[in-house]
Amino acid sequence: MSKIFTDKDANLDVIKDKKIAVLGYGSQGRAWAQNLKDSGLNVIIGLEREGKSWELAKNEGFTPMHTKDAVRDADIIIFLVPDMVQRTLWLESVKPYMKKGADLVFAHGFNIHYGLIQPPNDSDVYMIAPKGPGPTVREYYKAGGGVPALVAVHQDVSGKALQKALAIARGIGATRAGVIHTTFKEETETDLFGEQVILVGGIMELMKAAFETLVEEGYQPEVAYFETINELKMLVDLVYEKGITGMLKAVSDTAKYGGLTVGKFIINQDVRNRMKEALQRIKSGKFAEEWIEEYGKGMPTVINGLSQIQNSLEEKIGAQLRDLIQKGKPKS
């Protein structure tokens, strides 16, 4: 069982006198900045442009600064901009201006693990990766709770990198729930694998294939949508709340038998082998190279893929049925 750190393992005093620059004010940046500020820490916001995020930060009590100005005197620099923006931000607006020995902090290990950012030898480099979106990180904190997180240290010059990482984790509320110690390698590779094989790629293609199979066999698309896509939320909620065993206990005996027998027929050894192939692409760096090249071209694969899905039958049927479901909801 992995070591799980909680509030008793994290001391805010180790960073209470530090100036913390949060780079980005999007989903995670906004939540982290507000939570850290509410935890009594000294937070400044660093942004590249004076756009919507700049105005939002001002309206919510911060005095945003341009990135290069925010990092000049910062003791801790937290990268909370998208993965593919971080390298350019680092090279152009952080590395030339940052204070010698400032900590570099990440919420995902991608840029460090794949060598897109090469940190100075005199900087502590660590990561706190909340296992939930920014709005949830903020919502749970305000309610007195916290979203669990992973914590890792890539470079420990001071000998206190883990202590500081746990202090940041406490500042955003993560140690209220629990923080698991990992590595940049493990967090990056498992995160990418999960997104590709199940959370985004796998489940999306499984839903689409099941829907299309029923429609091709002559079943009504509305009925097919309910059975292969819409009801998934209820089952995932059961797994989230009670585990796989709890979900199985909640469904009918017919569903249990069908699921336990046919599930292994669909997700067979061939599928498992292809999962391992996908993992090897991640571990070898081939996926990262491909994604960097794709991003540099303007993401044509992503744009075309989204367009195809938006125009698909299942999306059109889904939009109609969601309206139907909303109409049936009881008025609060």
Side-chain angles (χ1 to χ4, degrees), residues 168-257:
I168 295 288
R170 179 164 184 166
I172 65 172
T175 53
R176 295 175 180 176
V179 174
I180 298 173
H181 197 193
T182 184
T183 63
F184 273 66
K185 171 182 169 62
E186 183 175 62
E187 187 276 336
T188 302
E189 293 176 356
T190 56
D191 183 81
L192 294 175
F193 178 80
E195 291 170 350
Q196 295 171 23
V197 172
I198 180 67
L199 301 177
V200 181
I203 200 66
M204 176 175 64
E205 291 301 325
L206 192 60
M207 288 189 293
K208 288 171 58 184
F211 173 84
E212 289 164 5
T213 298
L214 287 178
V215 172
E216 288 168 4
E217 288 294 313
Y219 297 98
Q220 295 181 76
E222 292 83 1
V223 176
Y225 189 92
F226 271 125
E227 296 299 334
T228 62
I229 298 177
N230 189 74
E231 290 188 23
L232 182 66
K233 179 187 183 306
M234 304 171 196
L235 276 296
V236 172
D237 283 349
L238 283 170
V239 173
Y240 181 82
E241 294 168 6
K242 302 179 180 180
I244 296 175
T245 302
M247 179 273 289
L248 287 171
K249 288 181 178 179
V251 301
S252 70
D253 289 341
T254 305
K256 287 187 188 70
Y257 177 75

Coordinates of all heavy atoms in Angstrom, one line a residue, residues 168-257:
I168 N 2.3 22.8 -0.5 CA 1.4 23.3 -1.6 C 0.1 22.4 -1.7 O -1.0 22.9 -1.8 CB 2.2 23.2 -2.9 CG1 3.3 24.2 -3.0 CG2 1.2 23.5 -4.1 CD1 3.0 25.6 -3.1
A169 N 0.3 21.1 -1.5 CA -0.8 20.2 -1.6 C -1.8 20.5 -0.4 O -3.0 20.5 -0.7 CB -0.4 18.7 -1.4
R170 N -1.3 20.9 0.7 CA -2.2 21.3 1.8 C -2.9 22.6 1.5 O -4.0 22.8 1.8 CB -1.4 21.4 3.1 CG -2.3 21.9 4.3 CD -1.7 21.6 5.6 NE -2.6 22.0 6.7 CZ -2.4 21.6 8.0 NH1 -1.4 20.9 8.3 NH2 -3.3 22.0 8.9
G171 N -2.1 23.5 0.9 CA -2.7 24.8 0.5 C -3.8 24.8 -0.4 O -4.7 25.6 -0.4
I172 N -3.8 23.8 -1.3 CA -5.0 23.6 -2.2 C -6.0 22.7 -1.7 O -7.0 22.4 -2.4 CB -4.5 23.2 -3.7 CG1 -3.9 21.8 -3.6 CG2 -3.6 24.2 -4.2 CD1 -3.6 21.3 -5.0
G173 N -5.8 22.1 -0.5 CA -6.8 21.2 0.1 C -6.6 19.8 -0.1 O -7.4 18.9 0.4
A174 N -5.6 19.4 -0.9 CA -5.5 17.9 -1.2 C -5.2 17.0 -0.1 O -5.7 15.9 0.0 CB -4.4 17.8 -2.3
T175 N -4.4 17.5 0.9 CA -4.1 16.7 2.1 C -5.2 16.4 3.0 O -5.2 15.6 3.9 CB -2.9 17.2 2.9 OG1 -3.1 18.6 3.2 CG2 -1.6 17.2 2.1
R176 N -6.3 17.2 2.8 CA -7.5 16.9 3.6 C -8.1 15.6 3.2 O -8.7 14.9 4.1 CB -8.6 18.0 3.3 CG -8.2 19.4 3.8 CD -9.3 20.4 3.3 NE -9.0 21.8 3.8 CZ -9.7 22.8 3.4 NH1 -10.8 22.7 2.7 NH2 -9.3 24.0 3.8
A177 N -7.9 15.2 2.0 CA -8.4 13.9 1.5 C -7.2 12.9 1.6 O -7.4 11.9 2.3 CB -8.9 14.0 0.0
G178 N -6.1 13.2 0.9 CA -5.0 12.3 0.9 C -4.1 12.5 -0.3 O -4.7 12.7 -1.4
V179 N -2.8 12.4 -0.2 CA -1.9 12.6 -1.2 C -1.0 11.4 -1.3 O -0.4 10.9 -0.3 CB -1.1 13.9 -1.0 CG1 0.0 14.0 -2.1 CG2 -2.0 15.1 -1.0
I180 N -0.8 10.8 -2.5 CA 0.0 9.6 -2.8 C 1.3 10.0 -3.4 O 1.3 10.8 -4.4 CB -0.8 8.6 -3.7 CG1 -2.1 8.2 -3.0 CG2 0.1 7.4 -4.0 CD1 -3.0 7.3 -3.8
H181 N 2.4 9.5 -2.9 CA 3.7 9.7 -3.4 C 4.0 8.9 -4.7 O 3.7 7.7 -4.7 CB 4.8 9.4 -2.3 CG 6.1 10.0 -2.6 ND1 7.3 9.6 -1.9 CD2 6.5 10.9 -3.5 CE1 8.3 10.2 -2.4 NE2 7.9 11.1 -3.3
T182 N 4.4 9.6 -5.7 CA 4.7 8.9 -7.0 C 6.0 9.5 -7.6 O 6.8 10.1 -6.9 CB 3.5 9.0 -7.9 OG1 3.7 8.3 -9.1 CG2 3.2 10.4 -8.3
T183 N 6.2 9.3 -8.9 CA 7.3 9.9 -9.6 C 6.7 10.6 -10.9 O 5.6 10.3 -11.3 CB 8.3 8.8 -10.1 OG1 7.6 7.9 -11.1 CG2 8.8 8.0 -9.0
F184 N 7.5 11.5 -11.4 CA 7.1 12.2 -12.7 C 6.8 11.1 -13.8 O 5.8 11.3 -14.5 CB 8.2 13.2 -13.1 CG 8.0 14.5 -12.5 CD1 8.2 14.7 -11.1 CD2 7.7 15.6 -13.2 CE1 8.2 15.9 -10.5 CE2 7.7 16.9 -12.7 CZ 7.9 17.1 -11.3
K185 N 7.7 10.1 -13.9 CA 7.5 9.1 -14.9 C 6.2 8.3 -14.7 O 5.4 8.2 -15.6 CB 8.7 8.1 -14.8 CG 8.5 6.8 -15.6 CD 9.7 5.9 -15.4 CE 9.5 4.5 -16.0 NZ 9.3 4.6 -17.5
E186 N 5.9 7.9 -13.5 CA 4.7 7.1 -13.2 C 3.4 7.9 -13.5 O 2.5 7.5 -14.1 CB 4.7 6.6 -11.8 CG 3.5 5.7 -11.5 CD 3.6 5.0 -10.1 OE1 3.6 5.8 -9.1 OE2 3.6 3.8 -10.0
E187 N 3.4 9.2 -12.9 CA 2.3 10.0 -13.1 C 2.0 10.3 -14.6 O 0.9 10.2 -15.1 CB 2.4 11.3 -12.4 CG 1.2 12.2 -12.3 CD 1.1 13.1 -13.6 OE1 2.1 13.4 -14.2 OE2 -0.1 13.5 -13.9
T188 N 3.0 10.6 -15.3 CA 2.9 11.0 -16.7 C 2.4 9.8 -17.6 O 1.4 9.9 -18.3 CB 4.2 11.5 -17.3 OG1 4.6 12.6 -16.6 CG2 4.0 11.9 -18.8
E189 N 3.0 8.7 -17.4 CA 2.7 7.5 -18.2 C 1.4 6.9 -17.9 O 0.6 6.6 -18.8 CB 3.8 6.5 -18.1 CG 5.1 7.0 -18.7 CD 6.3 6.0 -18.5 OE1 6.1 5.0 -17.9 OE2 7.4 6.3 -19.1
T190 N 1.0 6.9 -16.6 CA -0.3 6.3 -16.3 C -1.4 7.3 -16.7 O -2.5 6.9 -17.1 CB -0.4 6.0 -14.8 OG1 -0.1 7.2 -14.0 CG2 0.6 4.9 -14.4
D191 N -1.2 8.6 -16.5 CA -2.2 9.6 -16.9 C -2.5 9.5 -18.4 O -3.6 9.5 -18.8 CB -1.7 11.0 -16.6 CG -2.7 12.1 -16.8 OD1 -3.6 12.2 -16.0 OD2 -2.6 12.7 -17.9
L192 N -1.4 9.5 -19.2 CA -1.6 9.4 -20.7 C -2.3 8.1 -21.1 O -3.2 8.0 -21.9 CB -0.3 9.5 -21.4 CG 0.4 10.9 -21.3 CD1 1.8 10.8 -21.9 CD2 -0.4 12.0 -21.9
F193 N -1.9 7.0 -20.4 CA -2.5 5.7 -20.7 C -4.0 5.7 -20.4 O -4.8 5.2 -21.2 CB -1.7 4.6 -19.9 CG -2.3 3.2 -20.1 CD1 -2.0 2.4 -21.2 CD2 -3.2 2.6 -19.1 CE1 -2.5 1.2 -21.4 CE2 -3.7 1.4 -19.3 CZ -3.4 0.6 -20.4
G194 N -4.3 6.2 -19.2 CA -5.7 6.2 -18.8 C -6.6 7.0 -19.8 O -7.7 6.6 -20.2
E195 N -6.1 8.2 -20.2 CA -6.8 9.0 -21.1 C -7.0 8.3 -22.4 O -8.1 8.3 -23.0 CB -6.0 10.3 -21.4 CG -6.0 11.3 -20.2 CD -5.0 12.4 -20.5 OE1 -4.2 12.4 -21.4 OE2 -5.0 13.3 -19.6
Q196 N -6.0 7.6 -22.9 CA -6.1 7.1 -24.3 C -6.9 5.8 -24.3 O -7.7 5.5 -25.2 CB -4.6 6.8 -24.8 CG -3.9 8.1 -25.0 CD -2.4 7.8 -25.3 OE1 -2.0 6.7 -25.8 NE2 -1.6 8.8 -25.1
V197 N -6.6 4.9 -23.3 CA -7.2 3.5 -23.4 C -8.6 3.4 -22.8 O -9.3 2.5 -23.3 CB -6.2 2.6 -22.7 CG1 -6.7 1.2 -22.6 CG2 -4.9 2.5 -23.5
I198 N -8.9 4.2 -21.8 CA -10.2 4.1 -21.2 C -11.0 5.4 -21.1 O -12.1 5.6 -21.6 CB -10.2 3.3 -19.9 CG1 -11.5 3.2 -19.3 CG2 -9.2 4.0 -18.9 CD1 -12.5 2.3 -20.0
L199 N -10.4 6.4 -20.4 CA -11.2 7.6 -20.0 C -11.7 8.4 -21.1 O -12.8 8.9 -21.1 CB -10.4 8.4 -19.0 CG -9.9 7.8 -17.8 CD1 -9.0 8.7 -17.0 CD2 -11.1 7.3 -16.9
V200 N -10.9 8.5 -22.2 CA -11.4 9.3 -23.4 C -11.5 8.4 -24.6 O -12.5 8.2 -25.1 CB -10.4 10.5 -23.6 CG1 -10.9 11.3 -24.8 CG2 -10.3 11.4 -22.4
G201 N -10.3 7.9 -25.0 CA -10.3 7.1 -26.2 C -11.1 5.8 -26.2 O -12.0 5.5 -27.0
G202 N -10.8 4.9 -25.2 CA -11.4 3.6 -25.1 C -12.9 3.7 -24.9 O -13.7 3.1 -25.7
I203 N -13.4 4.5 -23.9 CA -14.8 4.5 -23.6 C -15.6 5.1 -24.7 O -16.7 4.7 -25.1 CB -15.1 5.2 -22.3 CG1 -16.4 4.7 -21.7 CG2 -14.9 6.7 -22.3 CD1 -16.6 3.3 -21.4
M204 N -15.0 6.2 -25.4 CA -15.7 6.8 -26.5 C -15.9 5.9 -27.6 O -17.0 5.8 -28.2 CB -14.8 8.1 -26.9 CG -15.4 8.8 -28.1 SD -14.4 10.3 -28.5 CE -12.8 9.6 -28.9
E205 N -14.8 5.2 -28.0 CA -15.0 4.2 -29.2 C -15.9 3.1 -28.8 O -16.6 2.6 -29.7 CB -13.6 3.8 -29.6 CG -12.7 4.9 -30.2 CD -13.4 5.5 -31.5 OE1 -14.1 4.7 -32.2 OE2 -13.2 6.7 -31.7
L206 N -15.8 2.6 -27.6 CA -16.7 1.5 -27.2 C -18.2 1.9 -27.3 O -19.0 1.2 -27.8 CB -16.4 1.1 -25.8 CG -17.0 -0.3 -25.3 CD1 -16.5 -1.4 -26.1 CD2 -16.6 -0.5 -23.8
M207 N -18.5 3.1 -26.8 CA -19.9 3.6 -26.9 C -20.3 3.8 -28.3 O -21.4 3.3 -28.7 CB -20.0 5.0 -26.1 CG -19.9 4.9 -24.6 SD -20.3 6.5 -23.8 CE -18.9 7.5 -24.4
K208 N -19.4 4.4 -29.1 CA -19.8 4.6 -30.5 C -20.0 3.3 -31.3 O -20.9 3.1 -32.0 CB -18.7 5.4 -31.2 CG -18.6 6.9 -30.8 CD -17.4 7.5 -31.4 CE -17.3 7.4 -32.9 NZ -16.0 8.0 -33.4
A209 N -19.1 2.3 -31.0 CA -19.2 1.0 -31.7 C -20.5 0.3 -31.3 O -21.1 -0.3 -32.2 CB -18.0 0.2 -31.4
A210 N -20.8 0.3 -30.0 CA -22.0 -0.4 -29.6 C -23.3 0.3 -30.2 O -24.2 -0.4 -30.6 CB -22.1 -0.3 -28.0
F211 N -23.3 1.6 -30.2 CA -24.4 2.4 -30.7 C -24.6 2.0 -32.2 O -25.7 1.7 -32.7 CB -24.2 3.9 -30.5 CG -25.2 4.8 -31.3 CD1 -26.4 5.0 -30.7 CD2 -24.9 5.3 -32.5 CE1 -27.4 5.9 -31.3 CE2 -25.8 6.1 -33.2 CZ -27.1 6.4 -32.6
E212 N -23.5 2.1 -33.0 CA -23.5 1.9 -34.4 C -23.9 0.5 -34.7 O -24.6 0.2 -35.7 CB -22.2 2.3 -35.0 CG -21.9 3.8 -35.0 CD -20.4 4.1 -35.2 OE1 -19.6 3.2 -35.5 OE2 -20.1 5.3 -35.2
T213 N -23.5 -0.5 -33.9 CA -23.9 -1.9 -34.1 C -25.4 -2.1 -34.1 O -26.0 -2.7 -34.9 CB -23.2 -2.8 -33.1 OG1 -21.8 -2.7 -33.3 CG2 -23.6 -4.3 -33.3
L214 N -26.0 -1.5 -33.1 CA -27.5 -1.6 -32.9 C -28.2 -0.9 -34.1 O -29.1 -1.5 -34.6 CB -27.9 -1.0 -31.6 CG -27.6 -1.9 -30.3 CD1 -28.1 -1.1 -29.1 CD2 -28.2 -3.3 -30.4
V215 N -27.7 0.3 -34.4 CA -28.4 1.0 -35.5 C -28.3 0.3 -36.8 O -29.2 0.2 -37.6 CB -27.8 2.5 -35.6 CG1 -28.4 3.2 -36.8 CG2 -28.2 3.3 -34.3
E216 N -27.1 -0.3 -37.1 CA -26.9 -1.0 -38.3 C -27.7 -2.2 -38.4 O -28.1 -2.7 -39.5 CB -25.4 -1.4 -38.4 CG -24.5 -0.2 -38.7 CD -23.0 -0.5 -38.6 OE1 -22.7 -1.7 -38.3 OE2 -22.2 0.4 -38.7
E217 N -28.1 -2.8 -37.3 CA -29.0 -3.9 -37.2 C -30.5 -3.6 -37.2 O -31.3 -4.5 -37.1 CB -28.7 -4.8 -36.0 CG -27.3 -5.5 -36.1 CD -27.3 -6.6 -37.2 OE1 -28.3 -7.4 -37.3 OE2 -26.4 -6.6 -38.0
G218 N -30.8 -2.3 -37.4 CA -32.1 -1.9 -37.6 C -32.9 -1.4 -36.3 O -34.1 -1.1 -36.4
Y219 N -32.2 -1.3 -35.2 CA -32.8 -0.8 -34.0 C -32.9 0.7 -34.0 O -32.1 1.4 -34.7 CB -32.0 -1.2 -32.8 CG -32.0 -2.7 -32.6 CD1 -30.9 -3.5 -33.0 CD2 -33.1 -3.4 -32.0 CE1 -30.8 -4.8 -32.9 CE2 -33.0 -4.8 -31.9 CZ -31.9 -5.5 -32.3 OH -31.8 -6.9 -32.2
Q220 N -33.9 1.3 -33.4 CA -34.1 2.7 -33.4 C -32.9 3.4 -32.7 O -32.5 3.0 -31.6 CB -35.4 3.1 -32.6 CG -36.7 2.6 -33.2 CD -37.9 3.1 -32.4 OE1 -38.3 4.2 -32.4 NE2 -38.4 2.1 -31.6
P221 N -32.4 4.5 -33.3 CA -31.2 5.1 -32.7 C -31.5 5.7 -31.4 O -30.6 5.8 -30.5 CB -30.9 6.2 -33.8 CG -32.1 6.4 -34.6 CD -32.8 5.1 -34.6
E222 N -32.7 6.1 -31.1 CA -33.1 6.7 -29.8 C -32.9 5.6 -28.7 O -32.4 5.8 -27.6 CB -34.5 7.3 -29.7 CG -34.7 8.5 -30.6 CD -34.9 8.2 -32.1 OE1 -35.0 7.0 -32.4 OE2 -35.1 9.1 -32.9
V223 N -33.4 4.4 -29.0 CA -33.3 3.3 -28.1 C -31.9 2.9 -27.9 O -31.4 2.6 -26.8 CB -34.2 2.1 -28.5 CG1 -34.0 0.9 -27.6 CG2 -35.7 2.5 -28.6
A224 N -31.2 2.8 -29.0 CA -29.7 2.4 -29.0 C -28.9 3.4 -28.2 O -28.0 3.0 -27.4 CB -29.2 2.4 -30.4
Y225 N -29.2 4.7 -28.3 CA -28.5 5.7 -27.5 C -28.7 5.5 -26.0 O -27.7 5.5 -25.2 CB -28.9 7.1 -27.9 CG -28.1 8.2 -27.3 CD1 -27.0 8.7 -28.0 CD2 -28.3 8.7 -26.1 CE1 -26.2 9.7 -27.5 CE2 -27.5 9.7 -25.5 CZ -26.4 10.2 -26.2 OH -25.6 11.2 -25.7
F226 N -29.9 5.3 -25.6 CA -30.2 5.1 -24.2 C -29.4 3.9 -23.7 O -28.8 3.9 -22.6 CB -31.7 4.9 -23.9 CG -32.5 6.1 -23.7 CD1 -33.6 6.5 -24.5 CD2 -32.1 7.0 -22.7 CE1 -34.3 7.6 -24.3 CE2 -32.8 8.2 -22.5 CZ -33.9 8.5 -23.3
E227 N -29.4 2.8 -24.4 CA -28.8 1.5 -23.9 C -27.3 1.5 -24.0 O -26.7 0.8 -23.2 CB -29.3 0.4 -24.8 CG -30.8 0.1 -24.6 CD -31.2 -0.2 -23.2 OE1 -30.4 -0.7 -22.4 OE2 -32.4 0.1 -22.8
T228 N -26.7 2.3 -24.9 CA -25.2 2.2 -25.1 C -24.4 3.4 -24.6 O -23.2 3.3 -24.5 CB -24.9 1.9 -26.6 OG1 -25.3 3.0 -27.4 CG2 -25.5 0.6 -27.0
I229 N -25.1 4.5 -24.4 CA -24.4 5.7 -24.1 C -25.0 6.4 -22.8 O -24.3 6.6 -21.8 CB -24.4 6.8 -25.3 CG1 -23.6 6.1 -26.5 CG2 -23.7 8.1 -24.8 CD1 -23.6 7.0 -27.7
N230 N -26.3 6.7 -22.9 CA -26.9 7.5 -21.8 C -26.8 6.8 -20.4 O -26.5 7.4 -19.4 CB -28.3 7.7 -22.1 CG -29.0 8.7 -21.1 OD1 -28.7 9.9 -21.2 ND2 -29.8 8.2 -20.2
E231 N -27.0 5.5 -20.4 CA -27.1 4.7 -19.1 C -25.7 4.5 -18.5 O -25.6 4.1 -17.3 CB -27.8 3.4 -19.3 CG -29.3 3.5 -19.5 CD -30.0 2.2 -19.5 OE1 -29.5 1.2 -18.8 OE2 -31.1 2.1 -20.0
L232 N -24.6 4.8 -19.3 CA -23.3 4.6 -18.8 C -23.0 5.4 -17.5 O -22.3 5.0 -16.6 CB -22.3 5.0 -19.8 CG -20.8 4.8 -19.5 CD1 -20.5 3.3 -19.3 CD2 -19.9 5.4 -20.5
K233 N -23.6 6.7 -17.5 CA -23.3 7.5 -16.3 C -23.8 6.9 -15.0 O -23.1 6.9 -14.0 CB -24.1 8.9 -16.5 CG -23.9 9.8 -15.3 CD -24.8 11.0 -15.3 CE -24.5 12.0 -14.2 NZ -24.6 11.3 -12.8
M234 N -24.9 6.2 -15.1 CA -25.5 5.6 -13.8 C -24.5 4.5 -13.3 O -24.3 4.3 -12.1 CB -26.9 5.0 -14.1 CG -27.8 6.0 -14.7 SD -29.4 5.3 -15.2 CE -30.1 6.6 -16.2
L235 N -24.0 3.7 -14.3 CA -23.1 2.6 -13.9 C -21.7 3.2 -13.4 O -21.2 2.7 -12.4 CB -22.8 1.7 -15.1 CG -23.9 0.6 -15.4 CD1 -23.9 -0.4 -14.2 CD2 -25.3 1.2 -15.6
V236 N -21.2 4.2 -14.0 CA -20.0 4.8 -13.6 C -20.1 5.4 -12.2 O -19.3 5.3 -11.4 CB -19.4 5.8 -14.6 CG1 -18.3 6.6 -14.1 CG2 -19.0 5.1 -15.9
D237 N -21.3 6.1 -12.0 CA -21.5 6.6 -10.7 C -21.5 5.6 -9.6 O -21.0 5.8 -8.5 CB -22.9 7.4 -10.7 CG -22.8 8.7 -11.4 OD1 -21.7 9.2 -11.6 OD2 -23.9 9.3 -11.6
L238 N -22.1 4.4 -9.9 CA -22.1 3.3 -9.0 C -20.7 2.8 -8.7 O -20.4 2.5 -7.5 CB -23.0 2.1 -9.5 CG -24.5 2.3 -9.4 CD1 -25.2 1.2 -10.2 CD2 -24.9 2.3 -7.9
V239 N -19.9 2.7 -9.7 CA -18.5 2.3 -9.5 C -17.8 3.3 -8.7 O -17.0 3.0 -7.7 CB -17.8 2.1 -10.9 CG1 -16.3 1.8 -10.6 CG2 -18.4 0.9 -11.6
Y240 N -18.0 4.6 -8.9 CA -17.4 5.7 -8.2 C -17.7 5.6 -6.7 O -16.9 5.8 -5.8 CB -17.8 7.0 -8.8 CG -17.2 8.2 -8.1 CD1 -15.9 8.7 -8.4 CD2 -17.9 9.0 -7.1 CE1 -15.4 9.8 -7.8 CE2 -17.4 10.1 -6.5 CZ -16.1 10.5 -6.9 OH -15.6 11.6 -6.3
E241 N -19.0 5.3 -6.4 CA -19.5 5.3 -5.1 C -19.2 4.0 -4.3 O -18.9 4.0 -3.1 CB -21.0 5.6 -5.1 CG -21.3 7.0 -5.5 CD -22.8 7.2 -5.8 OE1 -23.6 6.3 -5.5 OE2 -23.2 8.2 -6.3
K242 N -19.3 2.9 -5.0 CA -19.3 1.6 -4.4 C -18.3 0.6 -4.9 O -18.2 -0.6 -4.4 CB -20.7 1.0 -4.4 CG -21.8 1.9 -3.8 CD -23.2 1.2 -3.9 CE -24.2 2.1 -3.3 NZ -25.6 1.5 -3.4
G243 N -17.5 1.0 -5.9 CA -16.6 0.0 -6.5 C -17.3 -0.9 -7.5 O -18.5 -0.9 -7.7
I244 N -16.5 -1.7 -8.2 CA -17.0 -2.6 -9.2 C -18.0 -3.6 -8.6 O -19.0 -3.9 -9.1 CB -15.9 -3.3 -10.0 CG1 -15.1 -2.2 -10.8 CG2 -16.4 -4.3 -11.0 CD1 -13.8 -2.8 -11.5
T245 N -17.6 -4.2 -7.5 CA -18.4 -5.1 -6.8 C -19.8 -4.5 -6.4 O -20.8 -5.1 -6.6 CB -17.8 -5.6 -5.5 OG1 -16.5 -6.3 -5.8 CG2 -18.6 -6.7 -4.8
G246 N -19.7 -3.3 -5.9 CA -21.0 -2.6 -5.6 C -21.9 -2.3 -6.8 O -23.1 -2.5 -6.7
M247 N -21.2 -2.0 -7.9 CA -22.0 -1.8 -9.1 C -22.7 -3.1 -9.6 O -23.9 -3.2 -9.9 CB -21.1 -1.3 -10.3 CG -21.8 -1.1 -11.6 SD -21.8 -2.6 -12.6 CE -20.1 -2.8 -13.1
L248 N -21.9 -4.2 -9.5 CA -22.5 -5.5 -9.9 C -23.6 -6.0 -9.0 O -24.6 -6.5 -9.4 CB -21.4 -6.6 -9.9 CG -20.4 -6.5 -11.1 CD1 -19.2 -7.5 -10.8 CD2 -21.1 -6.8 -12.4
K249 N -23.5 -5.7 -7.7 CA -24.6 -6.0 -6.8 C -25.8 -5.2 -7.0 O -26.9 -5.6 -6.7 CB -24.1 -5.8 -5.3 CG -23.1 -6.8 -4.9 CD -22.7 -6.6 -3.4 CE -21.7 -7.7 -2.9 NZ -21.3 -7.4 -1.5
A250 N -25.7 -4.0 -7.7 CA -26.8 -3.1 -7.9 C -27.6 -3.4 -9.1 O -28.7 -3.0 -9.3 CB -26.3 -1.6 -7.9
V251 N -27.0 -4.1 -10.1 CA -27.7 -4.4 -11.3 C -28.4 -5.8 -11.2 O -28.2 -6.5 -10.3 CB -26.7 -4.4 -12.5 CG1 -26.0 -3.1 -12.7 CG2 -25.6 -5.5 -12.4
S252 N -29.2 -6.1 -12.2 CA -30.0 -7.3 -12.2 C -29.1 -8.5 -12.4 O -27.9 -8.4 -12.9 CB -31.0 -7.3 -13.4 OG -30.3 -7.4 -14.6
D253 N -29.6 -9.7 -12.0 CA -28.8 -10.9 -12.2 C -28.5 -11.2 -13.6 O -27.5 -11.7 -14.0 CB -29.5 -12.1 -11.5 CG -29.5 -12.0 -10.0 OD1 -28.7 -11.3 -9.4 OD2 -30.4 -12.7 -9.4
T254 N -29.5 -10.8 -14.5 CA -29.3 -11.0 -15.9 C -28.1 -10.2 -16.4 O -27.3 -10.6 -17.2 CB -30.6 -10.6 -16.7 OG1 -31.7 -11.4 -16.2 CG2 -30.4 -10.9 -18.2
A255 N -28.1 -8.9 -15.9 CA -27.0 -8.0 -16.3 C -25.6 -8.5 -15.8 O -24.6 -8.5 -16.4 CB -27.2 -6.6 -15.8
K256 N -25.7 -9.1 -14.5 CA -24.4 -9.6 -14.0 C -23.9 -10.7 -14.9 O -22.7 -10.8 -15.2 CB -24.7 -10.2 -12.6 CG -24.9 -9.3 -11.4 CD -25.0 -10.0 -10.1 CE -25.4 -9.2 -9.0 NZ -26.8 -8.7 -9.0
Y257 N -24.8 -11.7 -15.2 CA -24.3 -12.9 -16.0 C -23.9 -12.4 -17.4 O -22.8 -12.8 -17.8 CB -25.5 -13.9 -16.1 CG -25.1 -15.1 -17.0 CD1 -24.2 -16.1 -16.5 CD2 -25.6 -15.2 -18.3 CE1 -23.8 -17.1 -17.4 CE2 -25.2 -16.2 -19.1 CZ -24.3 -17.2 -18.7 OH -23.9 -18.2 -19.5

